[in-house]
Amino acid sequence: MPGSRFAIRTRAALATATGCLTVAACGVATSPAASPATSAPVAPPSASPSATGVAVPEPTGATPTAATPTAGPSTTASPAPAGPPEFSAKVSRVTRERLRYSWRPGCPVPVGDLRLITMTYWGFDDRPHTGELVVHEEAVDDIVSVFRRLYGWRWPIYRMRLVDVYKGDDFASIDADNTSAFNCRPATGSSSWSRHAYGRAVDINPRENPYVYADGSGSHSNARKFLKRPLKAPGVINPGDRVVRAFEREGWEWGGDWSGVKDYQHFSMGGG
């Protein structure tokens, strides 16, 4: 019996040894915790295996957010500062009712030959205004051309109303420093028709540009400081200046060039 026990123990030891050698040869770990020497390689921290075995980027820890636009220069153009309006002139037929005082039967021109010009002018207050002049239809283009230049130069005009506002009274219109044109009246100091009666003359700023008698005096007390030329002041017309030249370009004559009396306010088509 002792011999039999010895043989049994010998066979068991041999079996155990043989099993261990077999396991080692197969490379199967005998323990759940693999040693560092035999463990699988560790993937780099930047990637981890996906379910398909393809490496995918590891999360960075930052939570992705939608891009927020940053403030920058506006692409919308700012509106340009509003400036004075462009010169405009509207020409229309004038009615007898508008000429209640300045026209009457026997005048040298019929109402049908006259035109009303409603146009822009630059005021003494450095602002644009709208005024009215009545002229002969043949004078319309000349007047619009000159007054367009005056407006472009910001050359000031005090007032521009029909003389009918003053009931056709030339003296009252001049005293109000009113720029006007048509008025069926005789020429100053004459029994003949004025060029104004034909709608072929205009008086501009009559206070600053008065009618001066041969002795150097005038009829309007508010114009005394404007009797002599040359004179530098707003709205004043001087010999050879750009206002005179603008009318000359249209073939109009200036009363300031007359000999003896001087009518600095007066411009006429064809003279007189």
Side-chain angles (χ1 to χ4, degrees):
M1 291 299 292
S4 296
R5 290 191 188 101
F6 177 79
I8 292 170
R9 284 198 289 272
T10 301
R11 284 196 297 270
L14 287 173
T16 302
T18 301
C20 291
L21 290 173
T22 301
V23 171
C26 292
V28 179
T30 60
S31 171
S35 65
T38 60
S39 61
V42 179
S46 60
S48 61
S50 68
T52 60
V54 179
V56 296
E58 287 285 347
T60 60
T63 303
T65 58
T68 302
T70 57
S74 173
T75 57
T76 303
S78 299
E86 296 293 325
F87 174 85
S88 66
K90 177 184 176 182
V91 180
S92 58
R93 290 184 175 274
V94 62
T95 63
R96 174 69 178 88
E97 289 72 21
R98 294 297 309 274
L99 307 178
R100 183 179 303 176
Y101 300 101
S102 62
W103 188 92
R104 60 184 179 276
C107 288
V109 60
V111 172
D113 288 352
L114 300 173
R115 296 293 181 268
L116 173 67
I117 306 176
T118 304
M119 61 183 167
T120 319
Y121 69 91
W122 195 255
F124 274 72
D125 56 358
D126 286 328
R127 296 175 59 186
H129 299 270
T130 300
E132 293 180 319
L133 287 179
V134 170
V135 299
H136 194 280
E137 61 180 341
E138 294 178 357
V140 167
D141 290 345
D142 296 348
I143 289 294
V144 170
S145 177
V146 171
F147 279 82
R148 183 189 303 275
R149 292 191 182 98
L150 298 184
Y151 184 79
W153 297 332
R154 302 297 187 255
W155 195 86
I157 293 173
Y158 187 77
R159 180 178 283 122
M160 188 188 295
R161 298 177 180 173
L162 301 190
V163 74
D164 289 80
V165 172
Y166 307 94
K167 298 184 177 181
D169 187 335
D170 186 58
F171 190 95
S173 178
I174 289 174
D175 228 27
D177 205 7
N178 181 52
T179 294
S180 65
F182 173 75
N183 192 7
C184 186
R185 62 174 179 81
T188 302
S190 171
S191 58
S192 300
W193 289 117
S194 164
R195 299 298 288 176
H196 288 280
Y198 296 88
R200 298 174 184 268
V202 60
D203 289 341
I204 302 178
N205 292 345
R207 173 177 175 264
E208 288 77 17
N209 303 291
Y211 184 96
V212 182
Y213 297 106
D215 62 2
S217 64
S219 300
H220 298 264
S221 59
N222 64 355
R224 287 173 183 166
K225 65 179 182 179
F226 298 103
L227 295 175
K228 295 183 179 181
R229 293 294 185 274
L231 177 64
K232 185 176 177 60
V236 168
I237 302 169
N238 284 292
D241 70 8
R242 59 185 177 176
V243 179
V244 174
R245 294 196 304 272
F247 274 99
E248 286 177 346
R249 287 178 59 177
E250 309 301 333
W252 289 48
E253 297 180 8
W254 181 43
D257 287 333
W258 296 349
S259 59
V261 299
K262 302 289 186 183
D263 198 356
Y264 295 124
Q265 65 198 261
H266 182 87
F267 290 93
S268 58
M269 185 180 188

